[in-house]
Amino acid sequence: MRDTSDSTTASTVLAEVLPGVAVVFGEVPAELKPELVDFGIVPAVDRERLSTVLASIGNTATVAGNLGNAFAGAQGLYRLSDATQALLKTGATLAVKDGANLGTLMFPGRIVAQARFIPVTALSAAQTAAALGPALAMVGLQMQLSEVTGLVRTNIALTSQVLTAIRNEQWSELTGLVTTVDRAVDQARKVETVPASLWDSVAGAQAALDKQRELYRRNVRGHVGQIGQSGQSDTRRNREYLQTNAEAIVFDTYALLSSLKAWAGYQALRAGRARAVGRDDADEARFVEVVARDTRAELDSALTETAGLVASLTRELSIVAELPGRDGLSQSLPGKRKDAKAARQTSARLLEAIRPLADALRPPAPPLEAPDVVCAPGSPDLGPYLRILRWFLEDGETLRVLGFADQLDAVGPLSAILGGAKDKLAAARDRTTAKTLVAVTDRRVLTARTNAFLEQGEIRQDIPVDQVRYVRAATAQDRSARLAIDLVTRDESIRWLFRADTDTDTAQVDALAAVLAESMTIPDAERDALRRRGRAAIEAGGKGEAAGTGAAAPSGPEATDRDAE
């Protein structure tokens, strides 16, 4: 939806009843229909109450007849896009017409309709809004059920590709429960309530549903825990675990989502039954709200864990699938070539299976493009590096610089690094240099050996930019006359040497240094700690000297003379 002052008559009303969730009234544009969520298990009495209360909010003295008529019947539920919610949260105002905000329904490339939008703030201010508590709770439950159902449906192809080959007995037990609850939810949707006979058909399933949900949630937490044990410091161990257990992770993820879907459906039926037997009972109304709140909390927690696990698996599989392969000696070994090819094929197959779910849980990052600053002589093919590096960047992280340098492995005293070294020391260091990929983002400095990066997808260093203390650019003080950048971080000192065959190369290296220099800072805590250490050293030295002077006994001729006296 976009802000507009167009006075075109609108016959569509979107009333936001929960944050990000709206009830759609009036005519529904064809483009909006696929996105419309059926009221599902929301009882007919709650649908009528929603229409009545929302119409009373819309039918003010300033409302024209068109808008009032639009409230004649609720058509379904609609989840407002993140963009629309962000627009409203930033204080954007929509033009007011006929007692409601006027907006434009936008779909790719064109405007499809005018609509009135009533925000949730207007609803909460209405005197009658208190009567909608249970109805809104049922709306929330239906949207939760719709959300997890969509995720399961997105990944349904996995049942034949991966899942039935593993833990077949467990899968059969789970699918039996899912089918039972799905059938009951569908029947409740058709009759628009939960009668006693319908509830009786699923009432005894709670223990089995809890068992399945807890089983697969423990499995998912176990995978997350295994990945988290070694952390970022042991990339190889993480990757080996993910690749070795990829099919089990896919199975447990999908099984958890299926169990959550069945469990959420059961909770919706449970709340629907409470609404059916106690429509005017305050205790039953509070119970419905508690069920909706607890269900939302459980789903949020489980989906967050699942999204993190799927993202980790997708990232590692994508890196392996993108690796161009080994070169040099290892490429000439048939066994190594065969293993690398098999790993890429397996990764690609699993990626094809899990990617729809991964994209639904977390929109994928777009392909990386070469940054404005590239420190590389000639015109190297950056494609392989960018395709792999894409999977190391976090959400919203921006690549600012890409460079190829020699990095000195043997790091000596700081004075030698910053002041230059003698030819002998420089020659010794040159023998320990390695081709290094340097990627600077708005958050981190990543380095990797180029061969290890392309062969294994391994990152050597990951330095947050807030740990950058000093940056210096100069011509290396050795026979190579290469351009040097010295980077001093909180914990170490690094020197990169760059070839600069042209003035353009030199300008790019200078630009790299400038980007790094933007982050130079010494936190007050570190400065104070250094001062305290300095004062302590001086005081300790002074005391030692004083103590030595006072305690030393005279010796030699002077001592002999004093003894004689």
Side-chain angles (χ1 to χ4, degrees):
M1 180 175 288
R2 188 181 67 179
D3 185 11
T4 179
S5 57
D6 195 317
S7 60
T8 304
T9 299
S11 57
T12 304
V13 177
L14 276 69
E16 188 184 23
V17 294
L18 294 169
V21 177
V23 178
V24 181
F25 294 91
E27 296 181 11
V28 181
E31 290 84 354
L32 187 63
K33 287 181 180 179
E35 305 294 328
L36 208 62
V37 177
D38 189 274
F39 276 105
I41 48 84
V42 180
V45 63
D46 286 334
R47 304 180 198 185
E48 294 173 4
R49 187 167 298 184
L50 279 169
S51 296
T52 301
V53 173
L54 293 174
S56 70
I57 297 172
N59 288 330
T60 62
T62 59
V63 172
N66 311 344
L67 185 55
N69 293 335
F71 281 101
Q75 303 298 316
L77 305 171
Y78 180 70
R79 188 176 298 280
L80 298 173
S81 69
D82 291 339
T84 297
Q85 293 185 64
L87 178 68
L88 297 173
K89 287 177 181 177
T90 56
T93 56
L94 300 174
V96 176
K97 177 178 173 58
D98 297 339
N101 296 311
L102 178 66
T104 303
L105 289 176
M106 299 291 297
F107 283 85
R110 64 195 184 97
I111 297 173
V112 298
Q114 294 296 316
R116 300 292 189 270
F117 177 75
I118 299 178
V120 69
T121 52
L123 176 64
S124 61
Q127 294 180 352
T128 52
L132 285 181
L136 296 182
M138 294 303 298
V139 168
L141 280 167
Q142 175 57 37
M143 293 303 289
Q144 294 161 23
L145 180 58
S146 174
E147 177 184 5
V148 71
T149 298
L151 292 174
V152 174
R153 186 182 299 119
T154 297
N155 220 32
I156 196 67
L158 290 179
T159 55
S160 60
Q161 293 180 14
V162 177
L163 305 181
T164 53
I166 312 170
R167 308 174 188 174
N168 196 48
E169 184 177 347
Q170 291 182 0
W171 182 241
S172 297
E173 182 180 355
L174 176 57
T175 53
L177 286 169
V178 171
T179 300
T180 298
V181 175
D182 282 353
R183 185 185 303 114
V185 168
D186 185 59
Q187 292 169 342
R189 182 184 62 80
K190 291 177 180 176
V191 300
E192 299 181 353
T193 187
V194 182
S197 57
L198 177 57
W199 172 243
D200 289 344
S201 68
V202 296
Q206 179 166 346
L209 287 167
D210 286 342
K211 174 186 173 183
Q212 293 290 319
R213 179 172 55 92
E214 287 303 315
L215 168 64
Y216 294 112
R217 190 159 189 192
R218 281 198 305 270
N219 289 350
V220 166
R221 284 176 172 170
H223 295 309
V224 173
Q226 286 291 331
I227 298 169
Q229 275 183 357
S230 53
Q232 294 294 329
S233 61
D234 196 346
T235 302
R236 180 170 297 179
R237 178 180 172 183
N238 282 346
R239 183 161 302 155
E240 288 175 354
Y241 178 83
L242 286 164
Q243 292 177 19
T244 301
N245 297 278
E247 290 192 349
I249 291 174
V250 172
F251 174 83
D252 289 331
T253 299
Y254 185 65
L256 174 60
L257 290 175
S258 296
S259 67
L260 284 173
K261 173 193 171 187
W263 180 79
Y266 177 88
Q267 298 303 322
L269 292 168
R270 185 182 177 201
R273 181 58 189 159
R275 292 295 290 142
V277 300
R279 292 174 184 172
D280 299 317
D281 187 327
D283 291 336
E284 292 288 359
R286 285 194 295 271
F287 174 70
V288 171
E289 294 180 33
V290 168
V291 170
R293 184 171 61 250
D294 291 349
T295 303
R296 178 73 272 169
E298 172 66 18
L299 288 179
D300 283 346
S301 177
L303 291 179
T304 297
E305 291 176 347
T306 303
L309 177 61
V310 171
S312 295
L313 178 60
T314 303
R315 170 181 170 273
E316 296 302 335
L317 292 177
S318 297
I319 289 172
V320 174
E322 292 289 359
L323 295 179
R326 301 173 182 269
D327 53 14
L329 176 63
S330 60
Q331 186 68 18
S332 66
L333 300 176
K336 294 291 185 180
R337 286 203 307 271
K338 183 177 179 181
D339 290 346
K341 182 178 180 181
R344 287 196 295 272
Q345 290 176 342
T346 300
S347 297
R349 177 176 61 84
L350 289 172
L351 264 178
E352 184 180 358
I354 202 171
R355 182 160 278 156
L357 175 61
D359 292 350
L361 286 168
R362 183 176 297 173
L368 273 185
E369 296 184 0
D372 292 335
V373 180
V374 177
C375 301
S379 302
D381 181 11
L382 301 180
Y385 298 95
L386 294 172
R387 286 194 295 271
I388 299 171
L389 188 61
R390 167 193 180 189
W391 298 103
F392 286 95
L393 301 192
E394 301 168 351
D395 292 343
E397 190 171 9
T398 302
L399 179 63
R400 300 187 63 188
V401 179
L402 197 64
F404 298 86
D406 289 330
Q407 178 171 330
L408 299 177
D409 288 336
V411 178
L414 187 61
S415 59
I417 295 174
L418 298 181
K422 294 181 179 180
D423 285 349
K424 183 177 180 180
L425 177 60
R429 283 183 172 176
D430 276 345
R431 288 195 294 270
T432 65
T433 60
K435 282 295 183 182
T436 297
L437 172 70
V438 180
V440 183
T441 77
D442 56 340
R443 303 176 190 176
R444 298 177 289 165
V445 179
L446 301 173
T447 72
R449 293 179 183 271
T450 53
N451 287 343
F453 186 74
L454 292 179
E455 293 173 4
Q456 300 294 333
E458 290 184 359
I459 292 292
R460 184 183 187 189
Q461 292 168 299
D462 185 335
I463 306 169
V465 293
D466 62 5
Q467 293 184 13
V468 173
R469 298 293 176 262
Y470 182 75
V471 179
R472 176 178 180 270
T475 301
Q477 299 298 311
D478 59 32
R479 290 169 297 186
S480 67
R482 289 174 292 180
L483 298 179
I485 290 182
D486 296 309
L487 175 66
V488 180
T489 73
R490 184 190 65 186
D491 303 316
E492 59 187 323
S493 300
I494 304 167
R495 164 161 282 202
W496 295 313
L497 301 177
F498 294 88
R499 282 179 51 198
D501 298 334
T502 66
D503 290 341
T504 300
D505 295 338
T506 302
Q508 294 290 77
V509 175
D510 288 341
L512 167 57
V515 170
L516 289 171
E518 293 175 9
S519 301
M520 287 194 305
T521 181
I522 300 178
D524 292 339
E526 288 185 22
R527 183 183 292 108
D528 293 341
L530 288 171
R531 287 172 174 170
R532 286 194 299 271
R533 289 172 60 185
R535 286 195 297 268
I538 292 173
E539 292 173 0
K543 290 178 180 178
E545 181 181 346
T549 302
S555 60
E558 182 178 357
T560 303
D561 292 342
R562 287 181 179 177
D563 289 340
E565 294 177 1

